[in-house]
Amino acid sequence: MVQDFLNLAFNDKRPAEAFAEHVGPDYVQRDPDAPDGAEASARHLAGFVARFPELSLDIKRVIAEDDLVVTHCLMRLTPDSRGSAVADIMRVADGRTVEHWDVVPDLLENPANGDTMF
């Protein structure tokens, strides 16, 4: 369900549909850049996705425990951008996402340790 939400919202560019299908009505948004609530968050994400028509999200890992699902993804706003390593944490109840947190560091060209974030 979480993977379907992310693919629908980012790769298929249908965030309103993703929210309608996969997000609960009492959704709590913990991203400080996004408004709280399902409707407001859906509008915010739709605006973000619309600004970047070439945006892509490559899901690298999915980890689930109890009611939490964590994804580790490579998000590129354009095909030639280095991108960001996105970690989304979603709390799920009754088959719908009801709470969301994220961490979105940019990928560095020359990380101090020489390792990639993936």
Side-chain angles (χ1 to χ4, degrees), residues 76-113:
R76 288 190 169 122
L77 301 180
T78 63
D80 59 337
S81 70
R82 179 170 280 107
S84 300
V86 179
D88 281 300
I89 305 164
M90 299 186 192
R91 187 167 61 84
V92 176
D94 298 322
R96 293 188 168 269
T97 296
V98 295
E99 194 166 8
H100 169 258
W101 301 258
D102 62 14
V103 181
V104 188
D106 292 333
L107 297 179
L108 300 177
E109 184 173 352
N110 297 305
N113 58 22

Side-chain angles (χ1 to χ4, degrees), residues 28-48:
V28 178
Q29 175 60 267
R30 304 288 183 184
D31 177 342
D33 293 322
D36 201 21
E39 289 182 25
S41 285
R43 283 192 304 275
H44 175 79
L45 185 57
F48 176 79

Side-chain angles (χ1 to χ4, degrees), residues 7 15 19 21 57 117:
N7 281 314
F19 266 80
E21 287 185 23
L57 189 74
M117 294 183 77

Side-chain angles (χ1 to χ4, degrees), residues 9 13 15 44-55:
K13 314 293 187 285
H44 175 79
L45 185 57
F48 176 79
V49 169
R51 286 194 314 270
F52 302 101
E54 296 182 291
L55 179 147

